[in-house]
Amino acid sequence: MDTLAAPLTIAFDYTRSLGPVLGRFMAGLRERRVLGARTSDGRVHVPPLEYDPVTHEPVTDLVEVSPTGTVVSWTWNPRPVEGQPLDRPFGWALIRLDGADTPLLHAVDAEDLNTGMRVRIRWSAQRTGHIRDIACFEPGESDISEISEEFEPVEIMTTPIRLHYQHTTSAEEDRYLRALEQGRIIGQRCPACRKVYVPPRVCPADGVAPDEVVEVADRGMVTTFCVVNVPFAGQRLTPPYVVAQVLLDGADIPISHLILGVEAADVRMGMRVAAVWRDRSRWSTTPENIDHFEPTGEPDAPYESYGEHL
Amino acid sequence: MRRAAVLGTGQTEHRTRRTDVSMAGLCREAIDRALADAGTGWDQIDAVVLGKAPDLFEGVMMPELFLADAIGAAGKPLLRVHTAGSVGGATGIVATSLIRAGVHRRVLAVAFEKQSESNAMWALSIQPPFSAPITAGAGGYFAPHLRSYIRKYAAPDHIGALVAVKDRRNGALNPYAHLRQPDITLESVQRSPMLWDPIRYDETCPSSDGACALVIGDQAAAEASSRQVAWIRATAMRTEPTFYAGKDHVNPRAGALAAAALWSAAGIKQPLDEIDVAELYVPFSWFEPMWLENVGFVGQGQGWKLVESGETRIGGALPVNPSGGVLCSNPIGASGLLRFAEAAMQVMGRAGEHQVPGAATALGHAYGGGSQFFSMWVVGRQP
């Protein structure tokens, strides 16, 4: 049987501080102008380098090159994916712009792409001083107009990144989740150190797969905890809340969970707590079947009973 | 074993946002200062080692590729190192190993973080499917372990605040420090908001943009130097799983093993007597007493007493973090190398206003992950 799997998307709008060289390059794009960097050997690099690879000195000499160039080499992309410059089949090409000595990699919107083809930049309608101001290349020549004034460098560029994964569980995690779907908490015992891991996993200390399945209680003790008072990016609960290490009876390693039903200030190390399950109709293969833990009212566990789990 | 020495150090001004420079420019600011401090030209550098925390922090996969030109690696060997928060320390150790192995004569070690490009807390709080939404951030990860330390050794509440006051005042002596607070007091720290109980706002490291670089050379390069070098007497790295049944988060085994190996390799019997200054990786103030014990300066439960006695201030028996440490500047990928560099600066006599008088032997220390990776070195005025 396949183990449980689900999609995971990670996305963030990263920023790029551009510095003086790339900042001028991006500002140029906004004005439909392409700047290259001239290095000590006289070569013009597009996109510009910030530091000379030969002398290692900062590059200061930026020169304008043509928005028209020649395809040096290319490959065909029959199935574009999310985030690429074009949403229909296109060519990826190395293009040496007139006046530049190094080729630039970009998309060419042409069905009969070939080496030596003359191509020009197709500018984006909205230009903001961003690498995406170049939409792609297309066959043809550009008109070269007058060189304009020096422009203020762009300081920051936003570059959203989105990653799609398929998250697949291990055999041990799968077994644990399917038990949770039935309202049970299981661990597995390491055959070497005999410790019961909840959730079960390959023993991190011995590096061996666990064998014996052990059902553990849905109650235990708080070993240690944190009162979260601070909001932060990615947070899904509203502070303040208590995240505790809960050592379930029968387990040898604590799990992290929420403690509710008690003032945060009254949570104690050694406090006895029990799982509060969601309504049975909502159970599925998720640790969220346990909504939180609450104090049981039993006497606190003595320090000696959890001191080795801190 | 072949000898190695730090010939020069460089670091950036650390700030919340260094929008005036790109990642390459940030690295070069540190590198150019390190080369100048070492009196070394680019043509004398044989290899470059780049340290960087997770790629998700800045959203750049393999930054060593696009940085190769800027960090002077064109035509030379370039290695990337990644061991979470300890990466800066590991970077210094990898560079040292290349020298000690006799492979190279001078190696450039550089580490950086541009936290303003992203949000490290977000990057550390990714929620995979089949997990509960019980994220607490970086502070939330460590706060329970600090609580365990306090409970285990009955440490008084104000110890963390004492460390914060000391480090922030030290940071005011360091022109490169991000946070410089000469007027901070015990009372003001204790009045600051509680973020991750028991960690208060003023006991927490900032998010910084910054970089650090070192030039490390072999014995001949060190002896050819016109300035005092920092001889690398020993290095050590150890790793353990983040979680396992019975893991001691208060006194991690990997840290204790690394320290024992370090002292043995350096021929140091009584670290508290023989080390003049220590740069410990303390992103939350309570880690100072914990690491004092973990690396063996004092016995278990004695760390907070050393802090309380004031002996970890400049002028005390063991000044800890005279630079202000991670509590004042935290460009994560660079923070470990900064500890190593500050230790070197102390024995070179080039630590400026935060120089510990007469410092001849110093410890640089870093940890990372869930107290999982540890890297350390001992440097001295003498080999």
Side-chain angles (χ1 to χ4, degrees):
Chain A
M1 184 171 60
D2 287 340
T3 57
L4 291 163
L8 167 62
T9 296
I10 299 173
F12 195 86
D13 285 351
Y14 291 96
T15 57
R16 295 288 169 257
S17 301
L18 295 166
V21 174
L22 298 176
R24 283 162 69 195
F25 174 70
M26 297 303 172
L29 297 183
R30 190 178 54 209
E31 312 297 326
R32 300 192 202 213
R33 298 188 173 276
V34 183
L35 300 180
R38 196 195 308 274
T39 49
S40 58
D41 57 4
R43 299 202 304 161
V44 175
H45 299 252
V46 178
L49 296 177
E50 291 188 77
Y51 293 89
D52 191 309
V54 177
T55 66
H56 308 292
E57 292 303 311
V59 168
T60 53
D61 186 12
L62 292 190
V63 294
E64 182 160 1
V65 301
S66 170
T68 303
T70 304
V71 172
V72 175
S73 186
W74 59 276
T75 187
W76 192 249
N77 178 18
R79 282 180 296 278
V81 299
E82 176 190 348
Q84 291 185 338
L86 292 161
D87 59 5
R88 55 184 177 276
F90 66 88
W92 285 117
L94 288 168
I95 301 151
R96 189 162 52 231
L97 296 176
D98 298 346
D101 293 290
T102 62
L104 165 80
L105 177 70
H106 218 296
V108 179
D109 189 12
E111 288 180 2
D112 54 348
L113 187 59
N114 58 72
T115 299
M117 177 184 258
R118 295 286 289 168
V119 292
R120 66 183 176 204
I121 291 174
R122 179 189 296 164
W123 297 101
S124 298
Q126 301 289 324
R127 291 180 312 285
T128 58
H130 193 282
I131 191 65
R132 295 249 167 177
D133 289 354
I134 300 177
C136 64
F137 280 75
E138 61 191 16
E141 304 275 340
S142 289
D143 298 328
I144 307 283
S145 51
E146 293 295 305
I147 291 176
S148 63
E149 304 293 308
E150 186 69 10
F151 10 80
E152 276 298 299
V154 177
E155 191 169 53
I156 291 174
M157 181 174 81
T158 304
T159 59
I161 293 177
R162 182 181 298 269
L163 303 169
H164 301 292
Y165 291 88
Q166 182 76 0
H167 176 91
T168 305
T169 59
S170 65
E172 292 80 12
E173 187 184 6
D174 180 82
R175 195 172 287 131
Y176 172 72
L177 294 166
R178 291 182 195 277
L180 278 175
E181 192 174 24
Q182 299 162 6
R184 299 183 299 125
I185 305 173
I186 62 161
Q188 279 184 265
R189 195 184 298 279
C190 168
C193 66
R194 310 298 297 160
K195 302 285 190 187
V196 173
Y197 276 87
V198 180
R201 73 201 83 161
V202 171
C203 179
D206 297 302
V208 295
D211 50 11
E212 182 192 348
V213 175
V214 180
E215 191 145 348
V216 302
D218 67 352
R219 59 183 52 221
M221 67 188 86
V222 171
T223 58
T224 184
F225 64 96
C226 168
V227 185
V228 181
N229 288 303
V230 59
F232 55 85
Q235 193 173 43
R236 286 165 64 176
L237 294 162
T238 306
Y241 55 92
V242 175
V243 177
Q245 298 290 312
V246 177
L247 184 66
L248 298 173
D249 296 345
D252 288 303
I253 189 165
I255 59 170
S256 266
H257 222 301
L258 294 172
I259 308 297
L260 298 176
V262 56
E263 288 296 319
D266 292 334
V267 175
R268 299 178 299 276
M269 293 172 75
M271 178 178 260
R272 293 283 304 170
V273 292
V276 175
W277 293 78
R278 276 181 172 178
D279 186 88
R280 193 179 192 105
S281 65
R282 294 176 63 201
W283 286 355
S284 66
T285 52
T286 170
E288 294 183 82
N289 290 351
I290 298 175
D291 186 77
H292 61 272
F293 281 79
E294 278 188 5
T296 63
E298 298 167 84
D300 286 0
Y303 177 79
E304 295 68 37
S305 65
Y306 61 87
E308 68 179 78
H309 295 283
L310 294 175
Chain B
M1 194 187 289
R2 288 186 182 86
R3 285 178 176 158
V6 179
L7 309 181
T9 70
Q11 59 186 287
T12 58
E13 276 87 24
H14 308 293
R15 299 283 180 269
T16 304
R17 289 185 181 80
R18 285 294 310 272
T19 53
D20 57 319
V21 284
S22 65
M23 288 181 211
L26 188 74
C27 289
R28 276 298 294 269
E29 191 173 309
I31 292 169
D32 289 349
R33 286 171 177 164
L35 290 174
D37 190 47
T40 297
W42 281 106
D43 56 347
Q44 295 175 294
I45 297 293
D46 303 319
V48 182
V49 183
L50 177 75
K52 175 68 188 69
D55 291 350
L56 203 56
F57 278 12
E58 276 96 355
V60 179
M61 197 169 85
M62 299 192 286
E64 64 276 18
L65 297 185
F66 90 95
L67 289 172
D69 287 337
I71 63 180
K76 293 170 185 171
L78 168 61
L79 272 177
R80 157 88 183 278
V81 177
H82 174 24
T83 57
S86 78
V87 63
T91 304
I93 291 175
V94 169
T96 303
S97 299
L98 290 171
I99 299 291
R100 285 194 154 167
V103 177
H104 299 300
R105 188 148 179 219
R106 288 183 190 82
V107 175
L108 175 66
V110 57
F112 78 99
E113 199 76 55
K114 210 152 187 320
Q115 285 212 54
S116 68
E117 311 273 272
S118 169
N119 185 307
M121 190 93 91
W122 168 83
L124 292 170
S125 305
I126 298 300
Q127 199 80 67
F130 310 115
S131 64
I134 306 165
T135 53
Y141 179 86
F142 291 114
H145 307 317
L146 306 182
R147 182 185 304 282
S148 297
Y149 174 82
I150 294 166
R151 167 66 182 81
K152 193 170 184 179
Y153 298 119
D157 287 346
H158 68 285
I159 299 300
L162 283 175
V163 173
V165 170
K166 169 181 70 72
D167 283 6
R168 292 282 167 76
R169 288 186 178 173
N170 287 350
L173 305 173
N174 177 0
Y176 296 108
H178 178 171
L179 298 180
R180 309 179 71 226
Q181 300 177 322
D183 301 324
I184 196 168
T185 65
L186 185 67
E187 294 71 29
S188 70
V189 174
Q190 290 175 324
R191 275 199 311 271
S192 69
M194 189 67 89
L195 300 187
W196 296 278
D197 195 335
I199 303 173
R200 290 185 182 279
Y201 179 80
D202 278 350
E203 298 176 280
T204 308
C205 56
S207 292
S208 313
D209 286 356
C212 180
L214 300 182
V215 179
I216 298 175
D218 67 2
Q219 182 164 354
E223 287 170 354
S225 173
S226 60
R227 307 182 76 185
Q228 173 73 47
V229 301
W231 291 97
I232 300 165
R233 289 180 48 188
T235 68
M237 287 179 62
R238 290 292 186 279
T239 310
E240 69 183 304
T242 314
F243 300 106
Y244 58 92
K247 170 155 175 170
D248 189 341
H249 291 272
V250 173
N251 185 28
R253 188 164 67 184
L257 289 174
L262 183 80
W263 302 136
S264 170
I268 287 174
K269 303 274 191 292
Q270 301 290 338
L272 190 58
D273 297 335
E274 297 176 56
I275 296 292
D276 301 314
V277 53
E279 281 280 336
L280 300 180
Y281 202 100
V282 176
F284 302 103
S285 62
W286 278 98
F287 272 111
E288 178 171 306
M290 283 173 65
W291 295 151
L292 286 169
E293 298 172 20
N294 186 238
V295 302
F297 282 119
V298 290
Q300 294 301 297
Q302 304 302 306
W304 68 261
K305 295 174 185 169
L306 196 69
V307 173
E308 191 176 47
S309 70
E311 296 291 357
T312 61
R313 296 178 196 149
I314 296 173
L318 178 69
V320 175
N321 295 335
S323 69
V326 183
L327 274 183
C328 291
S329 310
N330 188 32
I332 300 175
S335 290
L337 196 58
L338 284 164
R339 307 282 71 70
F340 280 41
E342 292 282 357
M345 287 159 62
Q346 289 286 343
V347 300
M348 291 163 143
R350 304 212 278 272
E353 292 290 303
H354 63 280
Q355 177 70 46
V356 172
T361 309
L363 170 72
H365 164 274
Y367 87 102
S371 300
Q372 173 177 21
F373 299 110
F374 290 83
S375 52
M376 311 172 187
W377 77 9
V378 171
V379 289
R381 291 182 75 81
Q382 304 299 327

